Amino acid sequence: MSAAILSMEAVGLSFGDKRVLDNLTFSVRRGEVFGFLGPSGAGKTSTIKLLTRQLSRDGGRISLLGRPLERATEADYERVGILSDTSALYDRMSIADNVELYARLRGVGRRRVPMLLQRLGLAEDAKTLVKHCSKGMRQRAALAAALVHEPELLFLDEPTSGLDPAARAEVHKLLADLRARGATVFLTTHDMAEAETVCDRVAILADGAIAACDDPDELKLRYARNRIAVRTRTRGTLELSKDPADVAKLPELACAGELLAVHSDEPNLEEVFLELTGREF
């Protein structure tokens, strides 16, 4: 098992009388895409702000890049990229100028800028001022700025919000590339299909704590229903349980030439999410 690149242990956070995070505990392995899922207002963005020291916790322990958060250095944060609701772009500068500015601030050359703009579908709009950009264009430009220095650890807060399907698919390819080169991605998203597609593991946040954390397929199996749908040649679709007595009927149906298809009634990740949180996104 890979070593944890970041972790939280019994972390609490309150805004006045409102308890946002309560005994929050999880860890992220080096080199994985980790999905952090929860209903709106559950504390996902606040968690990222704690990990990036934009907020201070009430209690508990946080580790980043192998050391306690309070001992993280400026050099450590040079290894981190962030796309969040506070990611800044300058309205009176072009897309390309914004990304090149971030490259200079990060102490890297502009060599990656054309490639990132091309990958994110911004090459033809590179000279467009940000103030004239759509929400989707702004989101892609901010993502390019977060990636320009090839971060070892990347925090992405709703990275595909406002993107069309083609742009969203390109972001997913970029995430696969990041994983292939060993980078770690901490991802929040409301898109459960996206989480199933790109995440190695997901944590589901409910009432300020982790309700479940595992590989998406394992979570779906854990919450699978005790039903099997069996399509037959002449008897229609039969619903069987997964109990041994019902499962024993499958060989009988097959020997009789009745068996056409067998489907386990697994929930998708969205259904697991709703069962664990009891809330919409």
Side-chain angles (χ1 to χ4, degrees), residues 2 5 22 44 54 69 88 92 113 120 155 175 177 190 216 224 229 240 265 274 278:
S2 299
I5 194 169
D22 188 20
K44 302 185 299 296
Q54 298 174 69
L69 186 70
R92 297 182 181 275
V113 174
L120 290 166
F155 293 100
L175 294 179
D177 290 348
H190 283 121
L240 305 179
D265 190 10
L274 291 172

Side-chain angles (χ1 to χ4, degrees), residues 91-143:
D91 280 352
R92 297 182 181 275
M93 293 172 60
S94 71
I95 291 171
D97 287 343
N98 266 281
V99 181
E100 289 176 5
L101 172 63
Y102 276 93
R104 291 197 298 273
L105 291 174
R106 290 293 195 172
V108 298
R110 64 177 303 277
R111 62 177 178 82
R112 283 175 48 81
V113 174
M115 179 275 293
L116 286 170
L117 296 182
Q118 184 68 43
R119 286 292 305 271
L120 290 166
L122 294 168
E124 294 184 4
D125 300 300
K127 298 303 179 184
T128 302
L129 297 183
V130 167
K131 68 179 180 179
H132 295 145
C133 290
S134 66
K135 178 185 176 182
M137 290 169 65
R138 284 174 175 262
Q139 186 80 345
R140 284 177 281 157
L143 180 56

Side-chain angles (χ1 to χ4, degrees), residues 168-245:
R168 187 161 52 246
E170 196 56 52
V171 171
H172 293 171
K173 290 178 184 176
L174 271 173
L175 294 179
D177 290 348
L178 288 167
R179 180 201 286 136
R181 70 171 179 81
T184 305
V185 179
F186 185 94
L187 169 74
T188 73
T189 180
H190 283 121
D191 187 337
M192 296 296 112
E194 175 172 82
E196 286 193 54
T197 299
V198 304
C199 295
D200 298 296
R201 288 190 303 144
V202 297
I204 297 178
L205 186 66
D207 299 321
I210 301 298
C213 181
D214 211 332
D215 174 290
D217 287 338
E218 290 299 320
L219 281 178
K220 289 187 291 182
L221 285 172
R222 189 181 308 166
Y223 291 92
R225 303 172 187 91
N226 188 35
R227 292 199 305 261
I228 302 172
V230 181
R231 287 184 57 198
T232 66
R233 189 175 302 279
T234 65
R235 305 180 198 176
T237 299
L238 307 178
E239 280 202 3
L240 305 179
S241 75
K242 294 180 181 177
D243 296 330

